Amino acid sequence: NLLAPHASNSHHTKVLYESGISLTSSTIVGTAIDALGIPNTDQTDNYYRNHRIRPSQLTMSTKLNELQNATVGMTVGVIEVLCLQPFNYCKNALQQGQPLTLDPRKLYRGVGANAVNMGSCTMIQFAVGGSLKKAVLGGEDRRLKTYEEMGTGIAAGVVSAFVGSPLELVMIQQQRKGGNALDTIKTIATPNHILRGWVGAAVREGLWTCGYLSIPPIVRRNLREMYPEKFDSDAKARVPAALLGGLFACYLTQPFDTVKTCMQGDIERAKFGTFSQTAKKIAEDGFTAFYRGATFRYGRMVCAVFMMDTLQGMVGPMLYPEAFK
């Protein structure tokens, strides 16, 4: 999901709309659509027809092969992490009751593992999501139905968590204890540790991707259709879309992320045991305890949603211009 089509938009804007990796929840998206008054499928299809845009022009993922999709995803993810790592450090520190710092040496602890994590997860989501969408379409020249987008996206998100969760475990252990990545990997590379916090990561990834891949294009399109004079370009509509997408992704996923972070910061299980035990322990401090660090996480997500929403529309055509002719 990238850039909303409009009569005055460039060729790239048209072909990049609905990029093909919407990882969403049907209940969440349905609620968002109702709340925002977003046009239904028939209205949207009429919009495409009026602008002479064919469904085959609207999917980035299906225009690129798996390796190309993976490269685009990796590039976008790594850029985002390198820019926003301090937000992540502060969020993790507050969730675990650790002090904050302005020391860049500490703020960027674990940035290597996090860059690999974000890059590889985004890569997997792009590649798996694109591959599944091709399978669902079966060569048909049409847009994916909402439930098809959700199903393929959720599957891609769950798959990505198998890679992302262990890498986040490395990052969080480095942030807590210092040390280099190799020694940390040796410590956590055991059956007892390697998938610690995976459940929280898997749930979070599905909802997070809804925020950065689905909500912004929907909101942006809706704003441009309903208020064409005020939002006469994607650039103007992108800011409120990013704010809503970040809010959506942050506060729905924050409790799962807090449980995951606490579990991964305590591999010794001195305070936090299983997922349910950890959730009960956190709940002892009240419901708001699940939202520790949410401000930093929301700040990072808004910036990330804006960056990824923008970068997705730039990186693909830059790396593989022939695919978009």
Side-chain angles (χ1 to χ4, degrees), residues 23-316:
L23 312 186
T24 60
S25 161
S26 58
T27 302
I28 294 166
V29 173
T31 302
I33 289 173
D34 291 340
L36 293 169
I38 293 166
N40 61 32
T41 303
D42 291 337
Q43 293 171 316
T44 304
D45 287 341
N46 288 333
Y47 181 81
Y48 297 145
R49 284 194 293 271
N50 291 338
H51 288 80
R52 294 184 175 86
I53 300 170
R54 291 180 293 107
S56 60
Q57 290 180 290
L58 305 178
T59 55
M60 184 178 80
S61 290
T62 55
K63 282 183 171 290
L64 301 179
N65 61 39
E66 284 74 13
L67 178 60
Q68 291 170 332
N69 274 317
T71 303
V72 172
M74 174 70 81
T75 303
V76 170
V78 169
I79 292 171
E80 184 268 324
V81 166
L82 294 177
C83 294
L84 303 178
Q85 175 70 8
F87 285 90
N88 205 22
Y89 178 92
C90 293
K91 185 270 296 181
N92 288 341
L94 288 177
Q95 284 177 321
Q96 299 172 83
Q98 301 293 308
L100 299 180
T101 180
L102 293 177
D103 186 345
R105 294 171 299 177
K106 293 183 178 180
L107 289 173
Y108 275 86
R109 275 182 183 171
V111 68
N114 198 27
V116 175
N117 166 36
M118 194 65 183
S120 60
C121 280
T122 311
M123 174 184 71
I124 291 168
Q125 290 162 5
F126 271 51
V128 175
S131 181
L132 289 174
K133 285 193 171 189
K134 285 182 181 179
V136 170
L137 287 173
E140 295 180 46
D141 188 20
R142 65 175 177 86
R143 293 174 60 238
L144 285 169
K145 298 176 182 178
T146 301
Y147 71 87
E148 291 172 334
E149 288 192 73
M150 293 184 214
T152 55
I154 290 171
V158 171
V159 171
S160 73
F162 281 104
V163 174
S165 183
L167 288 168
E168 287 189 23
L169 178 58
V170 172
M171 176 190 67
I172 289 172
Q173 285 294 300
Q174 280 189 273
Q175 288 177 340
R176 255 188 96 90
K177 302 173 182 176
N180 60 57
L182 185 59
D183 290 339
T184 304
I185 290 171
K186 290 178 180 177
T187 301
I188 64 102
T190 67
N192 197 37
H193 296 326
I194 194 69
L195 288 179
R196 183 160 172 78
W198 178 84
V199 173
V203 174
R204 184 202 63 196
E205 282 304 304
L207 296 177
W208 150 245
T209 48
C210 179
Y212 89 83
L213 284 174
S214 297
I215 298 301
I218 291 172
V219 174
R220 191 170 58 244
R221 182 182 70 230
N222 195 53
L223 290 174
R224 295 200 62 184
E225 290 178 352
M226 294 180 66
Y227 309 102
E229 294 183 1
K230 187 172 184 179
F231 297 99
D232 56 1
S233 70
D234 282 308
K236 291 181 179 179
R238 184 169 283 120
V239 174
L243 289 170
L244 184 58
L247 183 68
F248 186 91
C250 177
Y251 287 95
L252 283 176
T253 63
Q254 180 70 14
F256 297 98
D257 185 72
T258 298
V259 173
K260 179 205 72 71
T261 300
C262 290
M263 290 179 67
Q264 292 185 329
D266 182 22
I267 59 173
E268 298 81 10
R269 293 166 170 76
K271 184 177 180 181
F272 301 110
T274 64
F275 185 91
S276 60
Q277 290 169 343
T278 302
K280 289 178 182 178
K281 185 69 177 176
I282 295 170
E284 291 177 2
D285 294 329
F287 181 73
T288 56
F290 287 102
Y291 285 87
R292 290 171 182 158
T295 302
F296 284 105
R297 188 160 182 250
Y298 178 57
R300 180 209 162 208
M301 282 189 167
V302 169
C303 294
V305 167
F306 185 88
M307 288 176 63
M308 298 178 88
D309 187 32
T310 303
L311 289 171
Q312 287 177 86
M314 298 168 59
V315 174

